[in-house]
């Protein structure tokens, strides 16, 4: 699996959609949501358009996008519930 930073650089369209959908869900009144559900919405909206790593949208990075969202939008830092990373 490639590092998240590389994946993100190679697929900026995923981050754009992740932010767009998440902000829409927030406007709809949700206080918490699942980053995996956001990825499913991206798959649905962009079916056939986005392809990376042999998958349309790779689930391996959902937590990374949730953390990045919290950093860019600190007012929503608790919107996605994330666990602390385990250092291997």
């Amino acid at each position: 699996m490639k590092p998240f930073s590389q994946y993100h650089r190679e697929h900026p369209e995923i981050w754009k959609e992740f932010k767009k959908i998440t902000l829409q869900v927030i406007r709809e009144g949700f206080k918490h949501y699942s980053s995996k559900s956001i990825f499913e919405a991206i798959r649905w909206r962009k079916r056939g358009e986005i392809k990376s790593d042999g998958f349309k949208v790779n689930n391996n990075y959902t937590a990374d996008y949730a953390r990045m969202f919290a950093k860019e939008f600190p007012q929503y830092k608790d919107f996605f519930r994330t666990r602390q990373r385990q250092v291997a």
Side-chain angles (χ1 to χ4, degrees):
M1 181 171 87
K2 61 178 79 175
F4 172 68
S5 59
Q6 179 183 350
Y7 181 84
H8 176 58
R9 266 192 322 277
E10 293 174 358
H11 306 286
E13 70 280 5
I14 293 175
W15 175 232
K16 180 180 175 183
E17 285 297 310
F18 189 91
K19 288 191 296 185
K20 180 180 175 181
I21 295 168
T22 301
L23 291 170
Q24 178 182 350
V25 168
I26 290 168
R27 282 191 303 276
E28 291 173 6
F30 285 85
K31 302 297 180 206
H32 301 285
Y33 211 73
S34 162
S35 58
K36 289 194 184 230
S37 292
I38 299 296
F39 265 58
E40 292 301 326
I42 293 169
R43 282 190 185 96
W44 177 251
R45 288 182 176 195
K46 298 294 185 180
R47 56 193 176 275
E49 292 178 33
I50 297 174
K51 192 130 183 139
S52 61
D53 296 353
F55 301 98
K56 291 188 184 212
V57 180
N58 194 323
N59 277 342
N60 292 338
Y61 305 104
T62 58
D64 296 292
Y65 282 104
R67 287 182 176 92
M68 195 161 70
F69 186 86
K71 284 183 182 177
E72 186 167 323
F73 299 93
Q75 68 272 36
Y76 303 121
K77 66 180 176 60
D78 296 322
F79 188 69
F80 296 111
R81 294 181 176 142
T82 57
R83 297 179 182 156
Q84 282 196 333
R85 291 195 180 247
Q86 299 293 322
V87 178

